[in-house]
Each structure stands twice: as C-alpha cells, then as structure tokens.
Amino acid sequence: MSKPNIPKGTRDFSPEEVAKRNYIFNVLKSHFQQFGFLPIETPSMEKLSTLTGKYGDEGDQLLFKLLKRGAKFEQALNQVSKSEGVSDHQFSEEALRYDLTVPFARYVVQHLNDISFPFKRYQIQPVWRADRPQRGRYREFYQCDVDVVGTTSLNAELELIHIINHALSALKLPNHTIHLNNRKILYALISSCGESSNFNKITVIIDKLDKVGKEKVLAELADQINNPSCTTMFESIFDLGNDYKDIISWLKSRVGATELGLEGIEEISYIFENCNQLGLKNITLNLTLARGLNYYTGTIFEVVLNDYNMGSIVGGGRYDNLTALFGLKDISGVGISFGAERIYDVLNESQLFPDEISLGPEFLIIDQSNAVSNAFKVAEKLRELSKRSMIYPDKQHKLKKKLKYANQNNIPYVLFISDNFNDNMSLELKDMITGEQKSIQLKQITHEING
Amino acid sequence: MSKPNIPKGTRDFSPEEVAKRNYIFNVLKSHFQQFGFLPIETPSMEKLSTLTGKYGDEGDQLLFKLLKRGAKFEQALNQVSKSEGVSDHQFSEEALRYDLTVPFARYVVQHLNDISFPFKRYQIQPVWRADRPQRGRYREFYQCDVDVVGTTSLNAELELIHIINHALSALKLPNHTIHLNNRKILYALISSCGESSNFNKITVIIDKLDKVGKEKVLAELADQINNPSCTTMFESIFDLGNDYKDIISWLKSRVGATELGLEGIEEISYIFENCNQLGLKNITLNLTLARGLNYYTGTIFEVVLNDYNMGSIVGGGRYDNLTALFGLKDISGVGISFGAERIYDVLNESQLFPDEISLGPEFLIIDQSNAVSNAFKVAEKLRELSKRSMIYPDKQHKLKKKLKYANQNNIPYVLFISDNFNDNMSLELKDMITGEQKSIQLKQITHEING
C-alpha cells in the first residue's frame, strides 16, 4: 500500500505549525477586539448563486463546487444523456467560499434586523481557490478580514491604519509601508484623458507596475489603450516622486476642478493630515496603486514590507456598493485583509516567532514507583500550578527511550517518581537542557518551578 | 431581489455565538494542553480514496464530494455520453472530511518520520456530512478530538477519564456519568452464544437500548438473530443492575475462562480499580454500551448528562488497527471526541455561559470636540489599559442615536470628549447601566476603571 497523501495545494499542520499560526491569529484578534471589532463566522459553503458573478470569469473558474447528490445527481446525468446544454452548474448548487468579503456582504443583508450600524466585524476563516498551486499559493488558506460597514466617516480609515501599525509592530514585523490611494482620484485621472470607459482595463495594467516595471506598463498602455495623453499622464505620475505635497499639488492642477477629483483629494488629504497629527507613520501616497477588485470606490490600501521582496501583506479599501450585490443599497464600508500565510513565511524565515508560543508539555513524568496513582497525583499538582505535563504511559520501556522522547519533543524537564515516593514524597527533577538533576519534595515543587 | 440565504444545514455565527463557541473550544484546549496533548490541523478536503469505504455505505453516501473541474469534468461528461457505467465517483476526486479520526490516521501514516510515539494530539475542526438536517444536527459542525496513539498502556484511558471530569467540571456542566465497556468483553459474550459472526449486527441492535427500550431490543434480537441463548443472555445483562462487583463476578462466570473475555475483564478492572484509588468519580460499567463504529477493539466510553434527555456529549474508545487502513499495523491508540454542538445547547439553555466571555467594546467614545485626534488619544490610552473601545465614527449623528448604539451593543460605558478637552483633558464618563455620569480627567482613567 502506497503512503497516503493529501490533495495538491492543501497542507497538514504539525503541532509547531499550529502554534505559530495561532500566534499570528491571536495577535490580530486581540488588536481587532481592542479597536471594538467583533468576530463572526460564516459557513464554509455558500449557494452558487451567492458566489458566481462576484469574482469575474476567472474567479468563477476557481470555485470549488460541491457535487449534487442522490436524485439531483441522477437528474443532472439524465440531462447529459439527452445532450441538453450542459455546464458544471448543472452538477452543483453549492461551492466553498472564495473569500470572506462576499459572504460578509451576504451576512449583512441576511441579518439586517439583528445588526446595528456601524457594524465592526472581523473574520478569520479559511477560503478555497482551485488555483494552480505554487510556492506560497495554496488551494486552502486563511484570510483575516476586518471591516466596518454602515459609516462613510473617514475616521474608519484612520482606525485601520492604526490597527495595521499596531498589529505589525506587535508581530515584530520590520519596516512596513502603507501605500494609500483613492479610486475617485484614479477615476478622475483616467476620465481626464477621456478614457473613463476603459477604467477597469487601465487599472489592471497599472496594477502590474511592481511586477513588470514602468517601461512595460507604458508600452502596454500605448498598445491597449492607444491614447497618447493617457500614456503621457501615467508617465508623469510615475515620475512624480514620493513627496506628498508635490503629488497633491500636481493632482489639484490636474483633476482638482472635477467633482470626483476634488472629493478624492479631500478624502486623501483628511487621512494624511490626521495621520500626521496622530503621529501615525509609515504611510505614503501612491497614485499607481489600483487594487484589482472592482468593488472599491474610495480609499485603497496596500502594505508591503520594505526589506522583503514579496507582494503585499495587507490590502483593502472602501466600497460603497458591496451589499448592493444582494439588494441592499447605500451601505458604505471599509475593510482590510491581513495575509496570514505571507506573514507566517516572513516570521518563520526571519525567526521572529517568540519562543514561548510552544504548547508542548513542560514536564515529562516518568513513574518508577509501584502505584499508578503517584504519577497522576504529581501531574495534578503541576496542573494546579498551570504547568502542562505528560505522564509517560508505558512503564516497561527503557529509561533511555523515555529520555529520548523528552528530547525529541523539546520537553524541558523530567520528573522521576521513585519507588519510595510514598514514604517521603520525594522526586528527582532533571533539567533536560543543562542535564542537572536534583531531589525535590512534591510540596516544594511550586518553589522549584517558579523560583 | 429576495433575501440571500445559506445552504440548508449550515449556520452563520453572530459575534455572541462565536464568543460562546470559542469559550467551549478554549476550555477544552487548555485541558488538552495541560495533559500534554498537542494540536494538529488537516485540510478540509481529502482524496476520495482516503475517505471512501471507511464509514460504511451510509457514510459514503453522506460525503460532500467536490466536482471535478476543467478538462477532467469534460472527460467525465464524455463518459456519460458514451453511457459507460457512471457513478458520482467519476465526477469527483476529493471530498470534505467526514470526521477527524480517519484524517488523523492518514496524518500519522503520512508523517510517520516526524512523529515520536506515544503521539498525543488534539484536533478541533469542522466536519461535513450531507445528512438530513434536523434540530441539533447540522451539515457543517465541529468535532473536538483528543487521542493518544502508539501506546497500549491503559493509563491513557485513565487520563482520558481525568480529562472528561476536569473539562466538564470547568464548563460547569452538571451531573455527568461516564459509561465504560470493553469490546473484548462484548465479543467474548457474543461468542459465548456462538454468534461471533453476527458481532456487528448484534452490537447495532443493542446500541439502540436507550432509544427503544429493553423489550424492543430483545424482540429484535429474537427476530434477527434467532438464537434463544443469545436473547436470554442479553436479558440477564439488562437485569444485572449497576453494581460494579456484581457485574464483574457475573462476567467472570460467563466469559472469564476465554482468553478474550479474561483480557477484557482485566482491562476494565484495571481502569475501575485505579479510578477508585485516584478518586475519579462518575464512572459506571455498562455492558450494553456498544458504540456503532467498527474500529474500536478495547475500552469504549460514552458520557451522558444525567439531567438532560439527549444523546451522549462525549464518546470514544481504543482502536488497535486504525492506521492499518493506510498500511501501518500495530499502532494502538485511544481517543475521545467532545460533542461541542450539544455542549453548546446545554450551556445555552441552562444559561451556564459566564458573563465575561463577551468580546465587545467596553467603552464607546463619543467625540464632541473639534480635533479628530482627541478620540484617538483617548482610545489609545484605553488600549494601554487593555480595555476594548470603539470611537463612534459619525460625528454628525444625533446623541440619542449614539447612546442607543451603546445600549444595543451592550457597551457598558460611554466616554464623552467635550469641546474644551484640549484645555483640561477632562472627559465625561457615563455608566450605561446605572445612568450615572461624572467628570474625570484622562490621566485619572486608570483609577476610575480599575478602582
């Protein structure tokens, strides 16, 4: 029988990996909670009608659809036999969720009567995409989303910037930059060269700037859009530099006279000025930031680690019409998503996980006495002291094997219960790192451990 | 547009429900960890070959299979058109996991080189079954499993009994009974009336005792097995009463002379005698406990709440051949699974969830000053004190609306920032329960909150 394995693009997580992943999730959760966000969870599967058409054609292709069962499956088969127009939709009514944003919009509309706005929610759950697996890209992975819906206040944006700085600092992630832009500005700019009908097409092209570089983006713009004023404008944008004031004054001269342009400039100015007042650092105005997703309508965010050559580790933005997908209009919201998988890779490669996140036993109890109850008594005492312990279950194994077990499992202390334990309650405590061993009394154990 | 909804048998969880569910998971996790168990996680989906044939025909029917995509789907369609023998297996290669036990056995075999035995693992993850949904039965639900594999020591059983008593007591669940039996004893008993070939059939019948009662079980035994000595024997067992010593002495006379019977009696005696010595309470020997699953080979457990008319809230047992499903023999293990959904229902109905599990903000900050930065300063101060707070984002809303928001969201305190905050750093603190309001200084806030 060949060794069993798991579907490609999926992963098992060992105890050490689970501990590390939970560390990231817990840091994020505690920050989300401190800023007044509350957790929700949605089912792994959604109706196909909820998901299809929300992620573009490519996204629809990547949905993991669930196969119909029983009579419904037979019916689908019959349709095939009759050669009626057949697609995979006839074989499926449900699919695994592709992200947390669409299910969240569905949740808000479905539970409207139980929600008071502004509704601040976070959600940390897996999502599934039938993408071609590659390094750092999985078919099952976690998203960590935090959103506030039901307010147009830009203070929500300020708060998200606050959370990003706090959480990344708590995770000890070094040197990040929060790139900010505003889709209203982008729209005004693209409209200013008469290309508003190509808005999505152009944002997709300029979104590639980081990957392919300035020359190729300009060439693609010239090729696909074929409007010299548009290409020239983006050339100017690419050459603008990083100075906030320069960019704003250029923007004002270019699109400050249009309603949308002015709104965008005012929004981004509000954010930058208040960040300045609040001492919120690491932000930069980046007019080439576009974000692929169509539903963003205002501020957009992307966070990169300056010292790591990888994509963004946080992304998000404001959306004015997301719940409109499910018939509920005029609920503006803004949210960001932390890329836990990339954060994990950085912390792991740079050995930034704290030592104390291990969940493993701190004591291995090796019973050399006659009564089973002795080991249980000692373990109970350790639990009262909130110490994790493990009784080695197989008394007949050789001592060498037992000590090797402690080493293999990084258990720092071994407690031996000798056969005269019942007379004097005395134990031998062995430090597995130094190798030192000494006799202690059970009642002294508190002192020995904490002292 | 009609309101969106979710697939039947699945659930959304509100912030309050997530907090309550996490409370249960966290209590269980902390106990598992204190007893030296470590977490693993496996993918939501497994290869069909890993899952099929492991849960009986009925189980296979209940698997949520994932639909093939792209060229593989087209190929499956072609087979239908050619009217080749078609089953749903041709349309699927993967399915969502049905339980945590089979994926755990697969994990052990796959990662054999990284595991040192005894391997103590816990796993708290959702599973999926396409069962007919009904009250308390869902298509997506969590299992909380704790197992030790790679040891035959019965001390592992003792430890699991320990964990059950500790964890249920920590959850404040009242009056439970741990029913224990041993599959060796059951096998010896059934063999003693010459019905070993009907072992599984008989265990399925007697497993219904709680649901249908003694008379119906005996009638079904008489009808299906048609062996008077078997029916008579189970009649005697049903009349044995609860006295441990009586049961053991009856067992010795009945099957004490057979090898398997003696082994079973010795195992169960070891457990009961040591539980007695260790003061482990709430256990009872129940010869009618059978457990439906075929892979159990030794001790079996089931825990019920005496005051609630529902099925078991914990179940499990010892298995000698589970990893043999994947080609690895002679790895004995024992484990139990906590039914988190039923535990949730009991805690909820009996209002046993502690008050302090809410994750909601403790302070609503209402900014009536001129500078945005003031509210952020106050929130930052609260976070330094580990207090969860929320800034009401929309300044233009009426005060009444803001206070209503605090009430609706059970936020106990409101902090008002007045327009002369910058002069004197003074705030108004309103207790939303008593309605009391008083002026405090920002620097006094520590004292006010903790004092």
Side-chain angles (χ1 to χ4, degrees):
Chain A
M1 193 183 283
S2 64
K3 244 191 179 180
N5 55 21
I6 51 182
K8 70 176 174 180
T10 68
R11 294 164 290 171
D12 282 325
F13 297 113
S14 70
E16 186 190 334
E17 289 164 332
V18 173
K20 286 176 172 177
R21 291 170 65 82
N22 285 343
Y23 163 73
I24 296 172
F25 298 145
N26 288 335
V27 169
L28 294 178
K29 277 181 203 169
S30 76
H31 283 85
F32 298 162
Q33 286 166 17
Q34 287 218 326
F35 282 82
F37 290 85
L38 288 167
I40 68 159
E41 291 182 5
T42 63
S44 301
M45 56 186 80
E46 294 275 353
K47 292 190 169 173
L48 260 186
S49 55
T50 299
L51 300 181
T52 43
K54 310 301 192 296
Y55 306 106
D57 286 347
E58 202 202 351
D60 283 352
Q61 295 297 321
L62 299 182
L63 290 175
F64 273 107
K65 298 186 185 75
L66 295 166
L67 184 59
K68 282 183 182 175
R69 293 164 301 279
K72 286 185 175 177
F73 174 71
E74 297 299 334
Q75 215 178 339
L77 277 186
N78 283 334
Q79 283 177 313
V80 181
S81 315
K82 290 185 202 144
S83 299
E84 294 167 21
V86 176
S87 85
D88 59 355
H89 276 244
Q90 269 150 309
F91 283 87
S92 178
E93 296 177 305
E94 297 137 357
L96 298 181
R97 71 176 157 245
Y98 180 88
D99 73 357
L100 302 178
T101 308
V102 169
F104 174 51
R106 192 266 310 145
Y107 180 99
V108 169
V109 179
Q110 188 176 337
H111 301 280
L112 197 57
N113 295 333
D114 304 318
I115 292 172
S116 50
F117 294 107
F119 182 46
K120 301 179 84 171
R121 89 86 170 79
Y122 71 84
Q123 191 171 355
I124 298 181
Q125 291 195 280
V127 301
W128 294 267
R129 296 180 186 180
D131 231 328
R132 192 179 297 276
Q134 51 178 260
R135 186 176 172 276
R137 193 203 282 165
Y138 307 101
R139 291 186 156 189
E140 173 177 47
F141 59 97
Y142 270 70
Q143 290 194 330
C144 309
D145 280 23
V146 56
D147 289 78
V148 50
V149 296
T151 176
T152 53
S153 168
L154 294 168
N155 293 346
E157 272 87 337
L158 290 176
E159 203 166 48
L160 291 174
I161 292 168
H162 224 115
I163 289 181
I164 292 168
N165 281 342
H166 270 270
L168 298 188
S169 149
L171 287 167
K172 311 235 182 315
L173 283 169
N175 302 332
H176 66 275
T177 302
I178 305 174
H179 294 263
L180 285 169
N181 199 7
N182 190 299
R183 298 270 285 193
K184 290 174 185 169
I185 291 175
L186 275 177
Y187 195 82
L189 287 171
I190 290 168
S191 299
S192 75
C193 17
E195 292 295 342
S196 56
S197 61
N198 280 320
F199 179 72
N200 286 335
K201 205 168 166 185
I202 294 171
T203 55
V204 168
I205 296 172
I206 64 164
D207 214 30
K208 296 179 195 163
L209 182 67
D210 281 345
K211 280 184 199 149
V212 302
K214 180 177 142 180
E215 301 306 327
K216 285 202 174 152
V217 167
L218 292 174
E220 199 175 336
L221 276 175
D223 182 47
Q224 301 237 355
I225 306 300
N226 193 18
N227 173 339
S229 80
C230 181
T231 314
T232 314
M233 179 184 73
F234 277 102
E235 201 166 3
S236 316
I237 290 174
F238 297 161
D239 292 339
L240 264 177
N242 293 319
D243 187 78
Y244 169 73
K245 282 181 188 158
D246 288 351
I247 302 173
I248 289 287
S249 81
W250 181 86
L251 273 179
K252 280 183 179 161
S253 71
R254 177 93 199 183
V255 293
T258 67
E259 196 185 351
L260 212 55
L262 188 61
E263 262 185 51
I265 293 169
E266 279 173 357
E267 287 180 10
I268 212 83
S269 304
Y270 181 92
I271 292 171
F272 273 80
E273 279 159 25
N274 280 295
C275 279
N276 202 23
Q277 265 215 316
L278 289 161
L280 287 174
K281 297 208 168 59
N282 310 316
I283 61 168
T284 188
L285 176 53
N286 178 353
L287 296 185
T288 68
L289 174 66
R291 301 284 300 158
L293 290 167
N294 287 337
Y295 52 71
Y296 293 123
T297 50
T299 317
I300 44 180
F301 306 84
E302 224 167 72
V303 184
V304 296
L305 293 174
N306 306 341
D307 309 335
Y308 293 82
N309 186 17
M310 60 181 1
S312 60
I313 57 162
V314 184
R318 179 171 286 278
Y319 39 84
D320 284 338
N321 303 307
L322 197 60
T323 56
L325 292 173
F326 302 106
L328 179 67
K329 287 182 186 164
D330 298 323
I331 302 279
S332 184
V334 58
I336 51 175
S337 183
F338 285 78
E341 313 288 346
R342 282 187 179 164
I343 290 173
Y344 182 99
D345 288 343
V346 171
L347 294 180
N348 213 30
E349 279 165 28
S350 301
Q351 302 191 309
L352 292 170
F353 283 109
D355 290 336
E356 61 271 20
I357 61 172
S358 160
L359 302 169
E362 295 148 288
F363 292 87
L364 180 69
I365 299 168
I366 297 181
D367 186 8
Q368 299 170 320
S369 74
N370 294 319
V372 173
S373 56
N374 291 336
F376 280 85
K377 266 184 217 159
V378 173
E380 191 69 5
K381 183 79 188 169
L382 288 167
R383 280 190 289 274
E384 281 167 21
L385 302 168
S386 294
K387 295 295 172 185
R388 300 182 301 269
S389 69
M390 162 167 172
I391 302 169
Y392 195 93
D394 303 277
K395 231 175 142 172
Q396 75 281 12
H397 287 177
K398 293 219 170 92
L399 178 61
K400 201 176 158 187
K401 184 170 178 156
K402 295 174 184 173
L403 291 175
K404 191 177 164 200
Y405 184 84
N407 271 330
Q408 280 176 331
N409 291 279
N410 298 312
I411 305 176
Y413 296 101
V414 169
L415 269 174
F416 295 99
I417 304 177
S418 67
D419 52 7
N420 57 357
F421 176 77
N422 280 318
D423 303 329
N424 57 13
M425 297 283 158
S426 128
L427 299 160
E428 291 284 315
L429 176 68
K430 186 180 174 77
D431 183 323
M432 292 301 286
I433 293 155
T434 65
E436 275 176 52
Q437 187 168 330
K438 59 179 168 181
S439 295
I440 60 162
Q441 300 289 111
L442 181 56
K443 61 184 175 188
Q444 285 179 332
I445 209 166
T446 321
H447 176 73
E448 286 295 331
I449 290 168
N450 298 322
Chain B
M1 192 183 284
S2 63
K3 245 191 179 182
N5 55 23
I6 51 181
K8 70 177 174 179
T10 68
R11 293 164 290 170
D12 282 326
F13 296 114
S14 69
E16 186 190 334
E17 289 164 333
V18 173
K20 287 176 171 176
R21 291 170 64 83
N22 284 345
Y23 162 73
I24 296 172
F25 298 145
N26 288 336
V27 168
L28 294 178
K29 276 180 202 170
S30 75
H31 283 84
F32 298 162
Q33 286 167 19
Q34 286 217 326
F35 282 83
F37 290 85
L38 287 167
I40 68 159
E41 292 182 5
T42 63
S44 301
M45 55 186 81
E46 295 275 353
K47 292 189 169 173
L48 260 186
S49 56
T50 299
L51 300 182
T52 43
K54 310 299 191 296
Y55 306 106
D57 286 347
E58 201 201 352
D60 282 353
Q61 295 298 321
L62 300 183
L63 289 175
F64 272 106
K65 298 185 183 77
L66 295 166
L67 184 60
K68 283 182 180 174
R69 292 164 302 279
K72 286 186 174 176
F73 173 71
E74 297 298 334
Q75 213 178 340
L77 277 186
N78 283 334
Q79 284 177 310
V80 181
S81 315
K82 290 184 202 145
S83 300
E84 294 166 21
V86 175
S87 85
D88 59 356
H89 277 243
Q90 268 150 308
F91 284 87
S92 177
E93 296 177 306
E94 298 137 357
L96 299 181
R97 72 177 157 243
Y98 180 89
D99 73 357
L100 302 178
T101 309
V102 169
F104 174 51
R106 192 267 309 146
Y107 180 98
V108 169
V109 179
Q110 189 176 335
H111 301 281
L112 196 57
N113 295 334
D114 304 318
I115 292 173
S116 49
F117 295 108
F119 182 47
K120 301 177 83 170
R121 89 86 171 77
Y122 71 84
Q123 191 171 355
I124 298 181
Q125 290 195 282
V127 301
W128 295 267
R129 296 181 185 179
D131 230 328
R132 192 178 296 276
Q134 50 177 258
R135 186 175 171 279
R137 192 202 283 165
Y138 306 102
R139 291 187 156 188
E140 172 177 49
F141 60 97
Y142 270 70
Q143 290 193 330
C144 309
D145 279 22
V146 56
D147 289 77
V148 50
V149 295
T151 176
T152 54
S153 167
L154 294 168
N155 292 347
E157 272 88 337
L158 290 176
E159 204 166 47
L160 292 175
I161 293 169
H162 224 114
I163 290 181
I164 293 168
N165 281 343
H166 269 270
L168 297 189
S169 149
L171 287 167
K172 310 235 181 318
L173 283 168
N175 302 329
H176 67 274
T177 301
I178 306 175
H179 294 264
L180 285 169
N181 197 8
N182 190 299
R183 298 269 285 193
K184 290 175 185 170
I185 291 175
L186 275 178
Y187 194 81
L189 287 171
I190 290 168
S191 298
S192 75
C193 17
E195 292 293 343
S196 57
S197 61
N198 279 319
F199 179 72
N200 286 336
K201 205 168 167 184
I202 293 172
T203 55
V204 168
I205 296 172
I206 65 165
D207 214 30
K208 295 180 195 161
L209 182 66
D210 282 344
K211 280 185 199 149
V212 303
K214 180 177 143 180
E215 301 307 326
K216 284 201 174 153
V217 167
L218 291 175
E220 199 175 337
L221 276 175
D223 181 47
Q224 302 238 353
I225 306 301
N226 193 18
N227 173 339
S229 80
C230 182
T231 313
T232 313
M233 179 183 73
F234 276 103
E235 201 166 3
S236 314
I237 290 175
F238 296 162
D239 292 338
L240 264 178
N242 294 318
D243 188 78
Y244 169 74
K245 282 183 190 157
D246 289 352
I247 303 173
I248 290 288
S249 82
W250 180 86
L251 273 179
K252 279 183 180 161
S253 70
R254 176 93 201 184
V255 292
T258 68
E259 195 184 352
L260 212 55
L262 188 62
E263 261 185 49
I265 293 168
E266 279 174 356
E267 289 180 9
I268 211 82
S269 304
Y270 181 91
I271 293 171
F272 273 80
E273 279 158 26
N274 279 295
C275 279
N276 202 23
Q277 265 216 316
L278 288 161
L280 287 175
K281 297 208 169 62
N282 310 317
I283 61 168
T284 188
L285 175 53
N286 178 355
L287 296 185
T288 67
L289 176 66
R291 300 288 296 162
L293 290 168
N294 288 336
Y295 52 70
Y296 292 123
T297 50
T299 317
I300 43 180
F301 308 84
E302 225 167 74
V303 183
V304 296
L305 293 175
N306 305 342
D307 309 334
Y308 292 82
N309 186 17
M310 59 180 2
S312 60
I313 57 162
V314 183
R318 180 172 284 278
Y319 39 83
D320 284 337
N321 303 306
L322 198 59
T323 56
L325 293 173
F326 301 105
L328 180 67
K329 287 181 185 164
D330 297 322
I331 302 280
S332 185
V334 57
I336 52 176
S337 183
F338 285 77
E341 312 288 345
R342 281 187 181 163
I343 290 173
Y344 182 98
D345 288 344
V346 171
L347 294 179
N348 214 28
E349 279 166 27
S350 302
Q351 302 190 310
L352 293 170
F353 282 109
D355 291 336
E356 61 271 21
I357 61 173
S358 162
L359 302 169
E362 295 148 289
F363 293 87
L364 181 68
I365 300 168
I366 297 181
D367 186 7
Q368 299 170 321
S369 75
N370 295 318
V372 173
S373 55
N374 292 334
F376 280 84
K377 268 183 216 158
V378 173
E380 191 70 4
K381 184 78 188 170
L382 289 167
R383 281 190 289 272
E384 282 168 20
L385 303 168
S386 294
K387 296 294 173 185
R388 301 182 300 270
S389 69
M390 164 170 169
I391 302 169
Y392 194 93
D394 302 278
K395 231 176 142 174
Q396 75 280 12
H397 286 175
K398 294 219 170 88
L399 179 61
K400 201 176 158 187
K401 183 170 179 156
K402 295 174 184 172
L403 291 175
K404 191 178 163 198
Y405 183 85
N407 271 328
Q408 280 177 331
N409 290 280
N410 297 313
I411 305 176
Y413 296 100
V414 169
L415 270 173
F416 295 97
I417 304 177
S418 67
D419 52 7
N420 57 357
F421 176 78
N422 280 317
D423 305 328
N424 57 13
M425 296 282 158
S426 128
L427 298 160
E428 292 284 315
L429 176 68
K430 186 181 174 76
D431 182 324
M432 292 301 287
I433 292 154
T434 65
E436 274 175 53
Q437 187 168 330
K438 59 179 168 181
S439 295
I440 60 161
Q441 299 290 111
L442 181 58
K443 61 184 176 189
Q444 284 180 331
I445 208 166
T446 321
H447 176 74
E448 287 295 331
I449 290 168
N450 298 322

